Amino acid sequence: MNNASSALKVAAGIFLTIALITIVVLLFISAQEATKTAQNNFADIQTELSQAAFTVYDGTTISGSQVTNALRKYADKDQFGIQVITGKNKGGQWYGNQLNISQDLNNADYGSVIKPDEKVGVINQTMSEKDNQYVNPSGKFKAIIVKDKSNVVRGLIFQQS
C-alpha cells in the first residue's frame, strides 16, 4: 500500500511538472507573438513620423523662400532629390540626387535615384538673379512629393506657377 501511495505521488508530481512546463511554453509563445506585433507597429509608427516632415509639401503652394529653405534642409539627404522648375528654367534643376520621374507612376523604377554617388545642383545659384536657377523669394511654387514604389518619400518637385 505504501508503494502504491508513493507511486501515485510521483505520478502526480510528474503530471504537475509537465502541466507547468506546458503552461510556461504557451505563455512564452504568446509573448513572442505580442512582441512581434509590437515591433511591427513601432516600425510603422517610425515610418509615418519620418515621412510626416514632408506632408507640408503635399500638393500645396509655397513661397520661393520656403523652396530655398527646403533646399538647404533636404538637398544633402541621402537617396533624396529636389527639382526646382522656375520661369527662367522650364527644364528644371535637380539638387542633391537626380530622381527617375520620367517613367509611369506604377513603374518599379519611378522615384529611384539615377546616380546615387553623384550629387547635382549648386544651391547658391538659386540666390543670384542673373542665374537660370534663381528662385524668387516672393514667387509661388506648387509642391509635389515624389514617392517610390514602396511609398517612401524620395524627393520633392517645386514648380513655379
Side-chain angles (χ1 to χ4, degrees):
M1 180 78 176
N2 209 6
N3 285 343
S5 174
S6 294
L8 282 174
K9 287 179 185 177
V10 169
I14 292 173
F15 177 75
L16 288 175
T17 303
I18 291 173
L20 183 63
I21 290 172
T22 304
I23 290 170
V24 169
V25 168
L26 289 174
L27 287 174
F28 182 73
I29 290 171
S30 65
Q32 273 186 325
E33 291 299 320
T35 303
K36 285 179 188 176
T37 303
Q39 284 176 335
N40 289 339
N41 289 343
F42 184 70
D44 291 343
I45 290 169
Q46 247 181 337
T47 303
E48 284 180 34
L49 287 176
S50 68
Q51 305 297 315
F54 303 109
T55 56
V56 69
Y57 301 110
D58 196 9
T60 59
T61 300
I62 62 173
S63 69
S65 61
Q66 289 173 302
V67 170
T68 55
N69 287 339
L71 283 171
R72 284 189 207 107
K73 189 174 184 180
Y74 301 118
D76 292 335
K77 188 174 176 182
D78 287 337
Q79 302 291 313
F80 195 83
I82 300 172
Q83 184 182 39
V84 180
I85 303 168
T86 63
K88 281 184 170 181
N89 188 2
K90 304 281 187 201
Q93 173 64 43
W94 284 98
Y95 297 91
N97 294 110
Q98 186 173 351
L99 302 179
N100 183 356
I101 58 168
S102 61
Q103 310 257 339
D104 185 335
L105 285 172
N106 296 322
N107 190 302
D109 289 336
Y110 184 83
S112 64
V113 176
I114 294 175
K115 294 179 182 175
D117 297 329
E118 185 179 312
K119 298 286 187 180
V120 293
V122 178
I123 295 175
N124 290 340
Q125 291 177 333
T126 63
M127 319 265 178
S128 172
E129 287 186 51
K130 297 175 186 174
D131 208 304
N132 268 358
Q133 283 84 30
Y134 174 66
V135 175
N136 186 342
S138 60
K140 297 295 178 197
F141 290 80
K142 181 166 172 64
I144 301 166
I145 295 177
V146 178
K147 295 182 180 182
D148 65 8
K149 189 73 173 171
S150 59
N151 208 27
V152 174
V153 175
R154 290 291 180 194
L156 299 168
I157 299 174
F158 300 111
Q159 185 170 12
Q160 193 167 17
S161 50

